[in-house]
Amino acid sequence: MAGRRQERSTETEQALKAAARRLFAERGYLNTKITDITAAAGRAAGSFYNHFASKEELLQSLLKDLAVESDTSAEAPEHKSDFTDPEAVRYHVDQYWSFARRNWAVMRAMNQAALVNEEFAQLVTDFGAEQRADIADHLDGFTAAGLTLPGSVDTSLAMMFLATSGLLQAVQEGAIALTDTEAVDALTLFIYRGLTGRDIE
């Protein structure tokens, strides 16, 4: 009996999280109420508080799921990691684009929450810093190759991530119509040129 109760509890938690992701994608984090989430999940309004103390806590749980996926995707097969090679740039742009596309609702919610909540603002800052630190060594070969970055390593990588996130937002919101392949191709060329000053041959 206890096992079935635990199973139902897990199902409800997953249903609430799935509903939240849908609603955050459709109307945004700030415009979504807890009662919207429970209604979309087909659960009683009070059931929310058996799992989460607040909408903020639910978002924290979604962010933990996102972090687990990010850690899993970081365990990628062998790949080129020298950004003087356009294939290495393309690989990382494609990986980040795919990850951000799948998790757009949560990433958008995190950025919206950061506008009104200092804790989430710090999370956004830390998330960006971790992403850049994870690939900072991919720029180590620039000096030996006689290349000069457009700014510091951190600045150069920040521009790379901001360009990718900005284009993804435009695509997600329907401002620009691009397939994933077109977006990754364009970003790869843009970022590679920006970092190296070279064209892709």
Side-chain angles (χ1 to χ4, degrees), residues 11 14 20 32 39 45 47 51 66 70 74 81 83 98 101-102 129 131 143 153 160 172 190 199-200:
E11 285 171 3
Q14 292 307 314
T32 299
S47 69
H51 301 276
L66 187 148
S70 179
S81 59
F83 278 6
S98 299
R101 186 89 137 132
R102 282 192 308 276
Q131 287 177 313
T143 302
V153 168
M160 172 181 162
Q172 287 289 132
F190 182 77
D199 274 327
I200 296 176

Side-chain angles (χ1 to χ4, degrees), residues 43-166:
R43 299 301 197 272
S47 69
F48 183 93
Y49 296 100
N50 293 330
H51 301 276
F52 307 104
S54 62
K55 187 172 72 168
E56 290 77 14
E57 189 174 292
L58 183 149
L59 180 55
Q60 291 272 16
S61 180
L62 290 172
L63 290 172
K64 284 178 186 164
D65 294 345
L66 187 148
V68 168
E69 183 184 340
S70 179
D71 288 345
T72 303
S73 64
E75 298 164 8
E78 243 356 89
H79 61 273
K80 295 182 178 180
S81 59
D82 177 0
F83 278 6
T84 64
D85 183 336
E87 282 184 42
V89 174
R90 182 185 171 76
Y91 173 86
H92 287 84
V93 167
D94 183 53
Q95 290 295 304
Y96 181 74
W97 180 272
S98 299
F99 170 79
R101 186 89 137 132
R102 282 192 308 276
N103 295 290
W104 173 250
V106 178
M107 294 178 75
R108 179 181 183 223
M110 179 172 68
N111 286 316
Q112 290 178 345
L115 298 173
V116 296
N117 181 302
E118 285 185 21
E119 185 179 353
F120 282 107
Q122 189 60 54
L123 277 172
V124 169
T125 299
D126 293 345
F127 182 67
E130 286 167 18
Q131 287 177 313
R132 296 191 300 275
D134 283 346
I135 59 169
D137 63 343
H138 293 23
L139 302 177
D140 287 352
F142 273 57
T143 302
L147 298 171
T148 304
L149 288 167
S152 69
V153 168
D154 201 46
T155 300
S156 300
L157 291 175
M159 289 189 285
M160 172 181 162
F161 280 108
L162 288 167
T164 306
S165 299

